[in-house]
Amino acid sequence: FFIEMQKKIIVTGAAGFIGSCLVGKLNELGYENLILVDDFSSILKEPNWVNKKYEMCIPREDFLQGVHECSCDIEVVFHLGARTDTTEMNEKVFDALNLTYSKQIFNFCSQYRIPLLYASSAATYGAGELGYSDDHHLIPLLRPLNPYGISKNEFDKWVLQQNITPPFWAGFKFFNVYGPNEYHKHRMASVVFHSANQIRNTGKVRLFRSHRPDYADGMQKRDFVYVFDVIETLIRFWQHRPVSGIYNLGTGKAEPFLRVAEAVFEALEFSPAIEFIDTPIDIRDKYQYFTQADIRKIQATGLTPDFTSLYDGIIDYVGRFLKYQKYY
């Protein structure tokens, strides 16, 4: 058991939003035998990881070169590193970071029999023409709306074609994750984060106007999931290893942006003031008006937490972190 505890836990994307929260939670649980992998050059990301407990940080481009030497000492790989900008249109960036790199990690874990848990995305579902089921048979038929979503879906498709796999693997289609440590994400940060900043700076929130007749302004809906529920699920999957596969990770409940804004106003103790603006042209035809995870498969494992309600999650996130610019 002691030797088992000394085995390394690899977290890629460890300087990012979800990765750094996972590292923080593992630290809370007593794990310090962590290898953090990422691009550590960004000053903006530094507070995400600098106070965490870990054995070493390895730059993303160096990781796969040296890792074969210590493969027998690795307990699990959490592969959360990716280029996540949905407005980036250069497919070569995604091919390199989201597809080729992920394939190399999958093959490494297969070769050395190491469990692998990785981040997919709800962006794979595109406009939701086929619904939001994580049935493996539907994955080749999905039509994502942007190069980021395409890269995630291409990797999922590739994984499902592999005959040689890690002893346990799971891909997670994260829906709209929000929570601490997303300060560096700029435009890609959650609507909760942007709403809180706008309210503090201007006293009001700007939401995208609806450009579809079937949705009122502010009634575009997403499945918002609190980051602490996400990392709790990742850890339970690693520890209990259900059936390998690709799983939706959301709450199963779509909520309107208007409800998000109202909860943030309440958390900050401001009176609601909402202004609607046009959705930017560069993302208008790639904008998801509705997402809602079908979570029957992941719930059947018995490993999901009781998902935090949107209201409770926002009150906690704003009250504990955003109000004070705190990190987890």
Side-chain angles (χ1 to χ4, degrees):
F1 177 75
F2 181 74
I3 293 170
E4 194 72 10
M5 284 294 287
Q6 295 310 300
K7 282 195 165 188
K8 313 297 181 234
I9 295 171
I10 310 282
V11 181
T12 76
F17 163 37
I18 299 174
S20 65
C21 286
L22 176 63
V23 171
K25 183 65 177 178
L26 288 168
N27 280 174
E28 275 185 10
L29 294 172
Y31 295 99
E32 297 177 14
N33 51 326
L34 311 179
I35 309 293
L36 312 190
V37 180
D38 210 325
D39 174 359
F40 294 101
S41 62
S42 167
I43 300 293
L44 287 174
K45 286 184 179 179
E46 199 170 287
N48 280 356
W49 58 271
V50 74
N51 294 319
K52 303 289 195 288
K53 299 187 176 83
Y54 54 88
E55 290 194 6
M56 67 177 76
C57 292
I58 303 178
R60 177 182 61 215
E61 61 274 15
D62 297 341
F63 170 61
L64 284 166
Q65 295 167 8
V67 74
H68 292 267
E69 297 161 25
C70 62
S71 57
C72 60
D73 294 326
I74 297 172
E75 164 79 14
V76 62
V77 174
F78 291 97
H79 177 38
L80 305 177
R83 183 63 178 269
T84 59
D85 188 346
T86 57
T87 64
E88 169 68 71
M89 289 298 137
N90 183 352
E91 292 181 18
K92 288 182 179 174
V93 171
F94 294 111
D95 284 346
L97 297 181
N98 292 5
L99 200 50
T100 302
Y101 195 79
S102 297
K103 287 178 181 179
Q104 290 171 325
I105 286 180
F106 189 93
N107 286 334
F108 167 77
C109 290
S110 299
Q111 181 180 348
Y112 294 105
R113 311 299 293 155
I114 299 164
L116 170 66
L117 297 93
Y118 75 87
S120 181
S121 171
T124 56
Y125 287 115
E129 308 96 329
L130 299 176
Y132 299 91
S133 165
D134 48 12
D135 184 321
H136 288 179
H137 295 101
L138 288 176
I139 287 172
L141 307 175
L142 297 176
R143 294 189 308 185
L145 295 171
N146 51 50
Y148 165 69
I150 291 168
S151 71
K152 287 296 194 180
N153 201 53
E154 286 301 311
F155 182 61
D156 288 344
K157 283 158 61 176
W158 179 85
V159 165
L160 293 175
Q161 292 166 350
Q162 301 314 298
N163 294 319
I164 300 169
T165 68
F168 168 71
W169 65 269
F172 296 92
K173 295 192 186 224
F174 295 151
F175 277 67
N176 279 66
V177 187
Y178 66 95
N181 299 12
E182 58 173 336
Y183 299 101
H184 64 282
K185 287 176 69 76
H186 301 301
R187 192 176 176 183
M188 289 298 114
S190 72
V191 67
V192 181
F193 176 86
H194 286 303
S195 297
N197 277 354
Q198 287 173 19
I199 292 166
R200 278 196 303 221
N201 294 335
T202 68
K204 63 184 178 184
V205 163
R206 303 171 87 190
L207 294 178
F208 288 152
R209 184 174 284 117
S210 172
H211 297 273
R212 283 175 46 174
D214 50 336
Y215 283 86
D217 291 343
M219 295 309 289
Q220 303 96 318
K221 292 182 174 182
R222 297 283 173 86
D223 188 332
F224 297 98
V225 57
Y226 200 16
V227 71
F228 292 112
D229 293 338
V230 168
I231 58 179
E232 181 69 35
T233 304
L234 293 177
I235 290 168
R236 290 181 183 184
F237 264 68
W238 157 48
Q239 291 176 337
H240 297 283
R241 299 193 194 182
V243 176
S244 293
I246 295 168
Y247 292 86
N248 280 337
L249 185 38
T251 65
K253 186 178 182 187
E255 297 271 16
F257 283 98
L258 205 55
R259 185 109 358 106
V260 174
E262 289 165 354
V264 177
F265 277 112
E266 186 173 332
L268 289 172
E269 299 175 339
F270 273 70
S271 297
I274 295 167
E275 176 188 332
F276 291 101
I277 60 169
D278 285 343
T279 306
I281 292 291
D282 66 330
I283 63 168
R284 194 176 296 180
D285 62 339
K286 299 172 176 59
Y287 186 77
Q288 291 175 304
Y289 273 70
F290 179 89
T291 65
Q292 180 171 278
D294 178 340
I295 58 173
R296 287 174 292 182
K297 187 160 90 179
I298 198 165
Q299 284 192 317
T301 66
L303 297 176
T304 51
D306 292 328
F307 287 108
T308 309
S309 73
L310 178 65
Y311 176 83
D312 288 344
I314 289 173
I315 297 296
D316 185 64
Y317 176 28
V318 175
R320 264 206 299 159
F321 300 98
L322 286 184
K323 256 187 185 175
Y324 310 103
Q325 298 285 296
K326 276 191 174 177
Y327 289 79
Y328 173 63

